[in-house]
Amino acid sequence: MTATTKPRTESSPADHGNPAATATPGPLRPGRMETDRLATRIAVAEGRDTRTVTSPLTGDVLGVVPVGTAQDVEAAVAQCRRVQQRWAATPVKERAAVLLRYHDLVLDGQDELLDLIQAENGKARVWAFEEILDQAVTSHYYARLAPRALKPHNRLTALPGLVTAVEHHVPKGVVGVISPWNYPLVLAVSDALAALVAGNGIVIKPDSQTPFTAIRAFELLEEAGLPEGLVQIVTGPGSEVGKAIIEATDYVMFTGSTATGRSVARQAAERLIGFSAELGGKNAMVVTADADLDRSVEGATVGCFANTGQLCISIERLYVDQALAPAFTERFARRVTAMTMSAEQAYGHEIGALASQDQLDKVSAHVDDAVAKGAKVLAGGQARPDVGPYFYEPTVLADVTPDMDLYREETFGPVVAVYPYSSIDDAVHEVNDTEYGLNASVYCGDVKAGRAVAERLMAGTVNVNDGYSSGWASLGAPMGGMKASGVGRRHGREGLLKYTESQTVAVRSALAEKLQDPGNDGAGYARRFTTLLKAAKHLPR
Ligand code: NAD
C-alpha cells in the first residue's frame, strides 16, 4: 500500500541524505459520517456559517464545523451554569469516579482517538499515543488528588480553640478553556479534567483545525457519567469566540502563543478574573562532556522531533560541550536523517505532517532565512510534498548566528540548531538568554552535577537525561512557564486549586467574644491581649 520515495537530488544541502518516506495510504479514518455526527454536538445555533476542516496528512476534507459567534458563547455559558450548580453539589468522590471511568474508556477506545488525532493534526501515531498516555495518567492523578485536596481543612487562628476556621475550596463556576491545535486531546481535555473534578463546568473553544478529537473525548466523559451540558463546545475564530469566552466565564485556561496570551491577560485583567496561560518557548538542551553519546543523541532526537517539533516543550537549541560536539553532531545528524516520515495512520514512523500551510510556511521561512545568512544544514532542510502537503524533513542546523530569525524566535517545527560551548557557565548564560522559560534539558554522566546545572536554568521544567517527558509527566509537581512562557501552572495541587476560590469560614466562641470585647476599658483590652500574645509565642504550634 505504501511506497518508499526518495525525491531529493544532488543539490540537496544535507550532508547525510534524506529521511526515508512512505506515501499516503488508503482513505482517512474517521470518515465523514463520524465527523458529521461529532459536529452535531457543537453548541452553535443552526444556520451559522461553516468552516471546512482538512487533514494535514492528505489535504482531504475531514469534516465541517459551524463558525460560532459571541451569542453562541453567551448561550453556552448560561446552559453550562445551570448544570454546573448540580455538579458542584455532587460529592467530590462521585466526580472523581467519572474521571476514573474516563481513564478506562480512553485506554479501551484508543484506536478511534488515535485516528482522530492523526487525521486532524497530522502527527505520527506514536506521538498521538503520548496523548492517550497523558489522558490516562492525568485523569487518574486528579481523581486521586481531588478528594484529599478539596476536603475542608481546619486552619490555625489567632485564638486557637476559641476561634475555629475551616478552609473550603469553592468551584469558580464556569471555566473557559481556549486550546491550540498541536495536542488536540491533551490541551483541550487535561486541564478541563482538573476543573471538572473541582466542581466547575467548561465552555471550550478548541482550535478550528482540531475540533473533533475534543468533541469525542468530552463525549467519552459523558459516557463515563459527566452530566450532559456541563461541557459546552463552541467552535469559531479566537478573535470572536475566544474573546467572548473570556468575557463570560469565571476563569480562563489558555494555551497558545505568547502574543495571544498577552491579549488574553489584558482582557482577563479588565474583568478581574483569574487565568492561566501556557505559552511559547525556545527550549534548550545542554549536553555535558561526560554525557553518554548514545543516550544523548537518542534523547535529542526525541526531544527535538517528537510531534514533528510542534510541541511547546520541544528542544530547538542544543548546546554541546565542544569536546563532545564533533562526535555528537555527526551521530545526531545521521540518526535524524534516518528518521522515517509517513502519512499512514499506523505505528512505525517517527515524523508526521506539520499541521497546516501556515506551519509549513513558518518552518520553511526560518530554515531559508538561516541558510541564506550562512547556516549549514546537517540534516533535512526541505519540504516533502511527495509524502503529504505539509511534510517537512527533520532538520539540524549548525553555524546559526544571532542575526538569523530562528536564533531567538520559536520555530515550533522540526528544526534545531547545534551550538558547541566552551564552559558550562557560557552554556547556562546562553540557555537563559531568551525571553522564554518553558522547558529545558541537561544530558550528563554525573547526575549530581547535571542536577546542579538544571537548577541554574530559568525554565519551569528542567529534565535531566530526558528532553521533556519526565517533567511533563511529573504530575504531582507544577508545570508551566517562567518569563514570557506563561502565568500559573498546570499539574500538582496548584493545577487543581486554581479552579477554586478559597473560602474561610471562621466561628467565634462566646469566650472569644468576651475576650475581644474592649467595653469601656480599651487600656485593659490592650493589656489582656499583650499578655496573651507574649504567652502564645511560647506555645507549641
Ligand atoms: P494561538 O495563540 O494562535 O492560538 C491558540 C488558541 O487561541 C486558538 O484556539 C485560537 O483560536 C485562540 N485565539 C486566537 N486569538 C485569540 C484571542 N484574541 N482571544 C482568545 N483566543 C484567541 O496559538 P497556536 O499558534 O494555535 O499554538 C501554537 C503556540 O502555542 C506556540 O507558541 C506554542 O509554543 C504554544 N503552546 C504552548 C503550550 C504550553 O503548554 N505552554 C502548549 C502548546 C502550545
Side-chain angles (χ1 to χ4, degrees):
M1 200 80 182
T2 58
T4 301
T5 55
K6 282 270 179 189
R8 290 267 294 275
T9 64
E10 285 172 2
S11 63
S12 157
D15 294 345
H16 296 280
N18 329 104
T22 52
T24 309
L28 267 183
R29 301 187 305 269
R32 275 302 292 276
M33 257 172 65
E34 174 63 356
T35 56
D36 286 349
R37 186 190 72 75
L38 290 171
T40 62
R41 304 195 62 113
I42 296 170
V44 168
E46 278 186 24
R48 300 279 189 235
D49 289 346
T50 56
R51 181 185 193 275
T52 301
V53 180
T54 55
S55 172
L57 286 178
T58 59
D60 293 340
V61 172
L62 181 62
V64 172
V65 290
V67 178
T69 64
Q71 290 77 24
D72 294 317
V73 172
E74 279 167 32
V77 171
Q79 173 61 15
C80 180
R81 255 186 222 297
R82 281 191 281 277
V83 185
Q84 186 266 333
Q85 283 164 10
R86 263 190 294 125
W87 178 243
T90 305
V92 184
K93 277 197 172 150
E94 282 179 36
R95 302 198 303 244
V98 173
L99 268 60
L100 291 175
R101 286 192 290 272
Y102 172 72
H103 167 279
D104 296 347
L105 290 175
V106 167
L107 289 177
D108 293 344
Q110 60 179 273
D111 288 343
E112 181 197 3
L113 286 167
L114 291 169
D115 284 346
L116 269 167
I117 296 168
Q118 280 203 279
E120 63 183 11
N121 169 275
K123 65 181 69 183
R125 201 166 187 87
V126 65
W127 308 122
F129 182 70
E130 264 192 331
E131 302 211 46
I132 303 289
L133 269 179
D134 174 84
Q135 291 304 280
V137 294
T138 305
S139 53
H140 185 246
Y141 170 71
Y142 283 121
R144 295 279 180 246
L145 175 69
R148 270 183 286 128
L150 298 174
K151 197 167 71 182
H153 280 92
N154 293 327
R155 296 300 182 206
L156 186 66
T157 69
L159 294 174
L162 302 182
V163 174
T164 56
V166 177
E167 179 189 340
H168 297 268
H169 290 287
V170 183
K172 290 273 185 187
V174 176
V175 170
V177 176
I178 301 172
S179 56
W181 43 263
N182 63 324
Y183 275 76
L185 183 57
V186 170
L187 297 174
V189 185
S190 292
D191 297 304
L193 291 173
L196 288 167
V197 81
N200 299 284
I202 299 286
V203 175
I204 175 169
K205 189 198 94 56
D207 192 275
S208 306
Q209 167 71 37
T210 54
F212 296 116
T213 306
I215 299 171
R216 180 62 190 136
F218 286 116
E219 212 174 46
L220 288 179
L221 267 160
E222 283 184 9
E223 282 174 36
L226 203 71
E228 205 174 312
L230 187 65
V231 174
Q232 302 276 330
I233 302 166
V234 186
T235 45
S239 54
E240 176 156 6
V241 171
K243 278 178 175 290
I245 285 178
I246 306 167
E247 217 39 58
T249 54
D250 307 310
Y251 185 92
V252 173
M253 174 69 224
F254 173 78
T255 309
S257 64
T258 294
T260 311
R262 290 186 207 280
S263 152
V264 171
R266 276 193 295 272
Q267 212 190 327
E270 193 55 45
R271 285 202 59 227
L272 293 178
I273 57 166
F275 73 100
S276 289
E278 300 289 345
L279 308 175
K282 187 72 188 174
N283 311 303
M285 176 182 286
V286 177
V287 182
T288 62
D290 66 342
D292 179 273
L293 205 51
D294 289 338
R295 267 182 92 186
S296 51
V297 163
E298 200 50 38
T301 304
V302 174
C304 301
F305 301 115
N307 210 40
T308 324
Q310 298 174 123
L311 169 60
C312 54
I313 46 184
S314 88
I315 305 296
E316 297 195 358
R317 301 180 290 152
L318 260 172
Y319 295 95
V320 186
D321 187 288
Q322 61 185 12
L324 196 67
F328 175 92
T329 310
E330 193 274 330
R331 214 185 278 200
F332 181 51
R334 227 173 337 116
R335 169 71 179 91
V336 173
T337 304
M339 295 182 92
T340 54
M341 322 176 75
S342 172
E344 279 183 308
Q345 287 177 293
Y347 288 112
H349 306 284
E350 296 169 287
I351 300 287
L354 292 171
S356 62
Q357 184 67 45
D358 283 354
Q359 277 297 102
L360 180 62
D361 291 346
K362 174 85 182 284
V363 169
S364 306
H366 267 188
V367 173
D368 294 350
D369 169 75
V371 170
K373 291 173 180 163
K376 190 171 172 215
V377 179
L378 302 181
Q382 285 193 37
R384 291 294 295 269
D386 55 305
V387 189
Y390 311 132
F391 277 77
Y392 197 95
E393 293 173 345
T395 299
V396 182
L397 300 176
D399 301 336
V400 168
T401 49
D403 58 323
M404 301 173 188
D405 291 341
L406 60 72
Y407 183 82
R408 286 194 182 280
E409 282 176 32
E410 181 187 40
T411 304
F412 212 54
V415 183
V416 64
V418 185
Y419 307 93
Y421 69 80
S422 54
S423 80
I424 198 70
D425 286 346
D426 285 351
V428 168
H429 174 80
E430 292 297 321
V431 170
N432 290 339
D433 183 22
T434 165
E435 66 165 325
Y436 295 114
L438 188 57
N439 182 47
S441 160
V442 180
Y443 264 82
C444 55
D446 177 350
V447 170
K448 194 165 167 229
R451 201 186 266 276
V453 174
E455 288 171 16
R456 296 173 64 192
L457 303 182
M458 293 299 290
T461 45
V462 188
N463 297 266
V464 175
N465 289 334
D466 188 6
Y468 63 85
S469 61
S470 298
W472 177 276
S474 297
L475 286 155
M479 190 275 152
M482 294 183 183
K483 302 192 275 183
S485 287
V487 176
R489 296 288 183 267
R490 52 166 61 105
H491 297 167
R493 291 172 70 87
E494 269 177 272
L496 176 71
L497 296 183
K498 70 184 182 185
Y499 295 116
T500 66
E501 293 284 0
S502 300
Q503 181 196 45
T504 300
V505 177
V507 177
R508 184 165 74 162
S509 66
L511 186 54
E513 190 176 333
K514 212 165 175 189
L515 260 175
Q516 286 177 307
D517 181 9
N520 291 327
D521 181 12
Y525 166 82
R527 264 199 313 278
R528 203 158 62 237
F529 266 92
T530 304
T531 310
L532 255 175
L533 290 170
K534 285 188 173 174
K537 190 181 164 206
H538 300 290
L539 288 176
R541 291 280 184 192

